[in-house]
Every structure is written in C-alpha cells, then in structure tokens.
Amino acid sequence: MLLSSTQQNRMTLAAVCLASLMFGLEISSVPVILPTLETVLHGDFKQLQWIMNAYTIACTTVLMATGTLADRYGRKRLFLASLALFGLSSLVCGWAGSTGVLIAARFLQGMAGGAMLICQVAVLSQQFQAGAARGRAFGAWGIVFGIGLGFGPLIGAAIVALSNWQWVFLVHGPLAIVTLLLVWLGVRESRDPQRRKLDVAGIASLSLGVFSLAWCITQGPALGLTDPRSVASLAVALLSLMLFAVIERRRAEPMVDFAVFRLRRFSGALLGSAGMNFSFWPFMMYLPLYVQNCLGYSSVGTGLTLLAYTLPTLLVPPLAERLALRYRADAVIPAGLLAIGAGFLLMLWGSRADAASWLTILPGCLLAGTGLGLTNTPVTNTTTGAVPNERAGMASGIDISARMVSLSINIALMGFILVESIQSAVRAQLPAGLDAAALRAVAEGLSAGKGAGELGLTLPAGAVRLALTQGFGAVMLYGGVAACLFAAASWLVFGVRRAQRVAGLPMR
C-alpha cells in the first residue's frame, strides 16, 4: 500500500513524537525513583550519580558519530537501529538485579537514546523544510517532549506506588515496537550527498575527555584532590579535550566543523543549549532527593511536587515558537535562560523559609520550568535552521553534544557542591576524631537520604535537616547564577546580530 506524502509526514511526526516521549520519560521518571533504587539495590550516593551519568555520558559518546553516520548511511536506517537498541536496553535495565548491572545497561540505553535523539531532529529538519510546516512540526515535537518531561516524575512515582520500579524501564519495550513500525512506514530516507567519513579519533578523544572529567569530579573528592588517580583523570580529561580540538581543526571533513561557530545565530542558540544543562536538567536528579529527604514527602508526593517543575515544559513550547517567530530567537532564548535563573533563586528563597514545603518552592519551580519551555524548542530549531539542510545531522549533533557534555559534568559538579556544603554544615556537630574520608562518607549518606542513626551518629535535633537545606541551597544558588550568566552570554552573542540587522550590515 502506497502512502501519500501527507500520510507519510503524519506517520513521521507521530514516530518522532513517540520517540521524544520515551526520551523525555527516561530523563524525568528515573530521578524520582533514585531513593527507591538506593534502598532496593543497596546503592550509595556515587552509584546514584552514575545511574544518571552513565546515560548522559553514553549519549555524548555517540552523538557526533550518529550525526555523521546518519548523514552518510541514512537517517531512517540509523533511527530504526537506535530505536531497537533503546527498547532492548530498557528491558535489560528493568531486569537489573544490582546497581552495577543497571549502570552498565543505562550506558547502553544512553547510547541508543543519544542516537535516537539526533535522528529525531535530523528527520524533522529534512522532512519538514517549509517555514510554517517546520514550525508546526517542531512545536508538536516540543509539546510531546514536554509531556514526557512534565509527567515523567508523576508516572515514575505512580509506577513505584502501584507496581515496582522495574516498569519505569520496561514500559519502553512496547513503545519502541510501535515507534519502529511508524518509522518504517512514514520516514523517507535522506543522506548527505557529500558522504563524509566517520571521525573515529574525534569520537574517542571527546568521549574519553568527558568521561575522565566526570569521573574526576565524582570520585576525586573522596580520593583526595592530590591523589594520583584524581590528578591523572583530570590530566587525561584536559589532554583529551585539547586533542579533540586539534583533531577536528586538522581534518578535511571534521565531525565538528568549527566554522559554524562563526554563525552568531548558531552560537547564540548553542549557549542557550548549554545553559539549560548547567541548571535545569542536572537539578532533575537532585530535586527529588531534596523533596523526599529534606521536606519529607513520599514518592507520590514527590512526583506531584516535581510536576510543577516539569509541567511548564509541556505548556510553554507553543508559546515559545510564536514568540520566536515574532521577536526572533535572539530575544526569546536569553529571556528563557534568565527565567530559569530567577526560578532557581526563587526556589532557594523558598527552601530557606521557616516552614519550607512544596508551597514555598512552588513559584520557583514554575518559573524555572517556564524558562525551560521558552528556551528548549527555539534552541533546537535555531541550531538546525542556521546551517544548510544537508548538514542537519552535524548541527543537531553539536547541539545535543553541548547539552549532554554540560549535563554530564554538571550532574557530577552539583553532587560535589551538595556533599561539600553538607560536610561544611555538619563538621562542627561530629566527633573531633573523624577523618576526612569518614566525614565525606557521612555527607554522602545524608545526601542519599540516610538518617543519622543509620550512619551510627548522634546529631542534635534539626541538624540533619539544616545541613540538607544548606547543601541543596548551594546547588540551587549555583544553578541560578549559571543560568543568568549563560543568559547574558547568549544575549551578547545575539546582540551583535541585532546590531548588524539594525545597521543593515550582512549577518553571519
């Protein structure tokens, strides 16, 4: 049966939206079950971090490769392969019996998810090229992605309450099958006619650099910053990232074409992409821990509270697209980042209230989520729209790489800030003979939700909650300041473009 172009486009949009739903659910439903995984699988704070970071680092390892492979061998073909692997690895995650197996499975799932996400954006960009149709397609993609993100915490909490945590992962099996069928029927194959070669050296150096830096931030403080392993991991990270830059500049067909950074429209949007992942997204891991461990809510209560944080990502993208068409992305993206930063600072203020509760942090959650909704879809549409259509895979690869690299680093960095702040708060309350390693173990245990009694300690009433409030407050402050700084940087980069437009000069 032959399908009309309209029918194919509808199936393509349905497939891309369903894939984005799975990816969104995987981001927002897993953090809310981390306290459950800590109990059921007997994981510690570092392992909880790696359950999230394995996914994001794995995404980073395949992003650039997927963009190149999709351009060379076909976006539809890569989309089908990534969907199949995502479904299978999700089943392995659901059947994991230990944190080690779950972390390994999450790495596979992250590889599939990163490839799947690149293909979503590339397929949309290729199959919907007209301005109005493109805007509607990306708007629908943003809405469904928002559904996954917005309702993920509630869905994850409900699954734990009604069944068990395994179904947070297992649900992706049947969803992947349906999506595969839609892709097979609807997506038209497309390639880059230049057929660029795979940049193995660039992929290896970037992946090694990001992994080593995340390992250094996560494991280094416990080992000691002067420990040879910490120093070696930091040195490997820096050398690998510098090597990546050298490799890409010398290649005739680079995986990352640094020339695109001279396009101010692309660079301004890319700063928005990174800014979201210095604030909103990494805090998705830590907000459930704050709500459960500091405010004392159950899993379902935590899911309902987090809905305020993620629900605006569902409601705001259509408005963001209209605003971007009217005022241009160079105004909407910095404004969205500024709203995220203001939301974090408002959450910080609410967390320090005498009777802190979901009501005191609600305004900040809503504002931060609104800022994310304003920023996310315009960033994606702008980065892919700033380059020729045949290089959509490369552009989307750079965009998602910026997101995943900054997300991986900031999951680790926020954890470092949290533990260090809790250590500072409880140091005076603990026995004088406690060494640095034991003190850090106490801080990590409190961060993961363990009580003083479970850690074999006697602390004054309210001391644990005060320490947690100080620790999570430091993370909120970091996220707020980072988002505001990226808003300013994005505004300045876009500002030159605005000045050129006003003066009637050529824009790049």
Side-chain angles (χ1 to χ4, degrees), residues 22 25-26 29 90-91 155 159 166-176:
M22 289 191 290
L25 285 173
E26 196 56 29
S29 62
S90 296
L91 296 180
I155 291 172
I159 288 174
Q166 285 92 338
W167 279 101
V168 172
F169 300 105
L170 296 177
V171 69
H172 297 299
L175 289 177

Side-chain angles (χ1 to χ4, degrees), residues 455-472:
L455 298 171
L457 300 170
T458 302
L459 293 174
V464 171
R465 178 165 180 171
L466 182 62
L468 289 173
T469 299
Q470 178 173 312
F472 285 103

Side-chain angles (χ1 to χ4, degrees), residues 26 41 88-98 101-109 165-166 169-170:
E26 196 56 29
L41 299 181
L88 291 172
S89 58
S90 296
L91 296 180
V92 177
C93 287
W95 293 326
S98 66
V101 173
L102 180 57
I103 290 169
R106 286 279 287 169
F107 191 87
L108 289 176
Q109 191 187 40
W165 64 268
Q166 285 92 338
F169 300 105
L170 296 177

Side-chain angles (χ1 to χ4, degrees), residues 216-431:
C216 180
I217 297 171
T218 304
Q219 309 292 330
L223 296 172
L225 297 180
T226 59
D227 185 273
R229 289 168 290 182
S230 300
V231 175
S233 63
L234 181 59
V236 169
L238 295 177
L239 290 173
S240 297
L241 294 175
M242 288 190 291
L243 179 61
F244 171 74
V246 171
I247 290 171
E248 296 308 296
R249 287 185 177 278
R250 291 185 176 180
R251 284 185 63 90
E253 298 179 344
M255 181 174 62
V256 174
D257 184 0
F258 285 96
V260 299
F261 294 104
R262 293 198 294 268
L263 300 171
R264 295 189 178 279
R265 187 169 172 234
F266 181 87
S267 295
L270 199 65
L271 286 169
S273 180
M276 293 184 292
N277 295 282
F278 269 74
S279 52
F280 190 93
W281 292 125
F283 195 59
M284 279 289 297
M285 172 180 172
Y286 297 101
L287 187 55
L289 296 175
Y290 168 74
V291 174
Q292 284 192 289
N293 301 336
C294 198
L295 300 184
Y297 289 108
S298 65
S299 295
V300 175
T302 299
L304 289 169
T305 302
L306 293 180
L307 198 60
Y309 188 70
T310 55
L311 188 57
T313 64
L314 163 64
L315 303 176
V316 176
L319 173 63
E321 282 296 304
R322 288 196 290 271
L323 290 174
L325 288 173
R326 181 172 181 180
Y327 299 107
R328 303 182 66 91
D330 52 10
V332 176
I333 291 173
L337 290 176
L338 191 61
I340 294 173
F344 268 75
L345 298 178
L346 197 54
M347 275 191 282
L348 172 61
W349 177 81
S351 71
R352 291 181 175 177
D354 291 336
S357 68
W358 70 274
L359 283 174
T360 62
I361 65 170
L362 179 63
C365 288
L366 290 171
L367 184 55
T370 299
L372 189 283
L374 285 172
T375 308
N376 191 42
T377 306
V379 161
T380 301
N381 209 355
T382 302
T383 52
T384 55
V387 300
N389 286 326
E390 65 270 13
R391 299 301 288 140
M394 183 272 296
S396 60
I398 294 176
D399 175 24
I400 306 302
S401 290
R403 298 180 188 226
M404 292 296 106
V405 168
S406 52
L407 179 58
S408 299
I409 292 171
N410 279 281
I411 287 176
L413 191 53
M414 283 188 174
F416 171 77
I417 293 170
L418 175 62
V419 171
E420 290 297 317
S421 298
I422 291 176
Q423 277 188 185
S424 175
V426 301
R427 183 176 287 110
Q429 308 289 340
L430 295 174

Side-chain angles (χ1 to χ4, degrees), residues 74-122:
R75 288 139 190 171
K76 177 178 179 177
R77 183 178 298 176
L78 264 293
F79 200 8
L80 289 169
S82 62
L83 280 166
L85 181 57
F86 189 84
L88 291 172
S89 58
S90 296
L91 296 180
V92 177
C93 287
W95 293 326
S98 66
T99 53
V101 173
L102 180 57
I103 290 169
R106 286 279 287 169
F107 191 87
L108 289 176
Q109 191 187 40
M111 292 178 65
M116 187 172 69
L117 189 58
I118 288 291
C119 291
Q120 290 174 43
V121 178

